[in-house]
Amino acid sequence: MRLAVFLGLLALAAVLGALAIGHGLLLPGLAAAPLVDPNLARALTAPLSLRLGDVLVGGSLVLVCTTPRWISSRVATTAALLLAGAALAHRWLLLPHLGRLWSRVDLVAARPVDTLAEAERWTHHQNLLLLFMGLLAVLIAALAARTRG
């Protein structure tokens, strides 16, 4: 039981850290760096985004395994399963598609316009998915605090 709690808390911290620190601060900070060309900044953030996706997948899969033993709530187990599904879709479907789209765009010249618009649209979808994953992680944390308190 204690091992499940420890691993669950560690996985929840990794997921929340990847979402808040990685996607919320690190990637936008690198993309907006004034001394770096926008195309170079996009190329530098692409591998970091993939590694953050790997952290999200790993943490969410550990949460799926530990949540039933750690939190006695079907809602928490369902939220962990939804989080794992969203993290897998994000890492294996959305991130490669975004990488292909952004690699065909020149951000300095803003060309080709149609590919740029499509890449921005898919980036917006990614941000919505990351927000959804963050809400699921906060829900799991709230249910864990309620059962422990």
Side-chain angles (χ1 to χ4, degrees):
M1 175 70 174
R2 288 181 185 223
L3 181 62
V5 173
F6 173 73
L7 290 175
L9 284 173
L10 187 65
L12 188 61
V15 167
L16 286 172
L19 288 170
I21 304 299
H23 284 287
L25 294 175
L26 181 66
L27 293 179
L30 284 174
L35 298 177
V36 177
D37 178 54
N39 293 322
L40 177 61
R42 179 61 68 181
L44 290 174
T45 59
L48 291 174
S49 182
L50 290 174
R51 294 300 77 80
L52 288 172
D54 292 339
V55 169
L56 286 172
V57 167
S60 64
L61 290 177
V62 170
L63 275 175
V64 166
C65 295
T66 59
T67 300
R69 294 186 189 117
W70 170 32
I71 307 168
S72 59
S73 170
R74 290 185 190 186
V75 175
T77 304
T78 304
L81 285 169
L82 285 171
L83 180 63
L88 285 167
H90 176 255
R91 173 59 182 95
W92 296 108
L93 298 174
L94 188 61
L95 285 178
H97 182 65
L98 276 171
R100 283 189 300 272
L101 284 174
W102 283 113
S103 67
R104 291 185 269 157
V105 172
D106 183 5
L107 291 172
V108 175
R111 298 276 188 249
V113 177
D114 56 340
T115 308
L116 179 61
E118 185 179 359
E120 288 174 346
R121 185 173 50 252
W122 280 101
T123 301
H124 179 71
H125 295 319
Q126 178 192 18
N127 291 337
L128 290 176
L129 184 63
L130 290 172
L131 178 66
F132 175 69
M133 288 192 291
L135 291 175
L136 286 173
V138 168
L139 173 66
I140 294 169
L143 290 171
R146 190 190 75 173
T147 59
R148 302 304 275 164

